[in-house]
Amino acid sequence: GDGFTLRGGDRTYSFRLHYTRYRERYAIYFRLKEGERREETASRTPCDVVQTGYGQYESDELHALEEKNSVACTSDGTYRYAKAGGYFSYDLAVPSARACRLQICLRRADNGKTLKISVGGERVFEERLLYTMGEESYVRELALSQELISRTVRTKTVGGEPRSIIRVRFEGSKGRASARICEFIKLYLE
């Protein structure tokens, strides 16, 4: 199901998916994959994370959402997509000019839609999606070379401190709407 309830003494605790609780006070729990060791999850900490479709996280000083003709949703998970001719982009923090991996979450229901991703104006991904596995949502990771990061990194002041960032842009191809970018965009060091 979507959650569970615990009763203890005179209190009841209701655990539900985070995005369903946006009008209430809440705490967050994380589901670990069976057999996953804590060291494995700790060793892969993202350099930066942005939650798509959730304006306050997308439009903060660091991520600085820019968009034209895009649609955000928080009622079916969170996601954002660009309408035909539109786009959306974020600044993502990189700790140095090293190779990275960009992780995005997509939905099988968007099979047949196009997605183009650019970093600093350079295309790194463009394809018509076709996912044939069983899950409704799936993750794709894109390698961003050290050379690409070095060419496209720039410095930005965030909270009074200089930060190295890259600009990542999402749009459809050939004048079409893009696939949805769901939940979280994560940037990892290679």
Side-chain angles (χ1 to χ4, degrees):
D2 286 347
F4 57 92
T5 302
L6 294 177
R7 288 181 180 76
D10 61 344
R11 294 188 175 216
T12 300
Y13 299 95
S14 178
F15 294 83
R16 300 285 179 261
L17 295 174
H18 174 65
Y19 68 84
T20 66
R21 306 305 292 245
Y22 66 95
R23 291 186 181 164
E24 305 172 32
R25 291 179 156 264
Y26 55 83
I28 298 175
Y29 71 94
F30 296 92
R31 186 181 326 178
L32 293 177
K33 294 177 185 167
E34 189 171 325
E36 189 173 61
R37 296 193 321 255
R38 186 177 302 272
E39 309 87 65
E40 291 171 346
T41 58
S43 68
R44 194 144 189 253
T45 303
C47 307
D48 198 3
V49 177
V50 64
Q51 185 175 13
T52 61
Y54 211 103
Q56 72 187 53
Y57 300 122
E58 297 174 299
S59 300
D60 64 2
E61 185 181 9
L62 171 60
H63 299 112
L65 168 70
E66 288 181 7
E67 63 87 29
K68 175 185 171 191
N69 293 329
S70 76
V71 175
C73 177
T74 58
S75 63
D76 177 23
T78 62
Y79 62 79
R80 182 176 291 275
Y81 69 93
K83 293 181 180 180
Y87 70 90
F88 57 99
S89 64
Y90 308 99
D91 285 339
L92 295 178
V94 293
S96 61
R98 291 175 46 197
C100 294
R101 295 192 73 76
L102 179 68
Q103 184 184 87
I104 58 173
C105 181
L106 301 165
R107 291 198 179 165
R108 186 180 65 189
D110 284 346
N111 275 351
K113 292 187 178 178
T114 61
L115 181 61
K116 178 179 171 184
I117 303 172
S118 304
V119 173
E122 296 186 34
R123 184 179 68 222
V124 296
F125 178 88
E126 185 171 11
E127 79 180 44
R128 187 169 174 240
L129 300 181
L130 178 59
Y131 181 70
T132 58
M133 304 303 281
E135 298 86 8
E136 292 298 317
S137 295
Y138 61 100
V139 170
R140 292 282 301 261
E141 286 195 6
L142 306 172
L144 306 179
S145 70
Q146 180 178 350
E147 293 77 20
L148 172 71
I149 301 295
S150 294
R151 281 194 310 271
T152 60
V153 70
R154 66 184 216 277
T155 302
K156 171 181 178 176
T157 302
V158 179
E161 298 292 323
R163 300 287 298 270
S164 295
I165 58 98
I166 56 172
R167 189 76 183 171
V168 182
R169 178 175 164 142
F170 302 87
E171 59 195 307
S173 296
K174 300 176 180 145
R176 298 184 182 135
S178 75
R180 291 172 284 188
I181 304 297
C182 304
E183 306 304 332
F184 297 94
I185 298 169
K186 298 178 182 179
L187 189 67
Y188 294 96
L189 282 178
E190 187 69 82

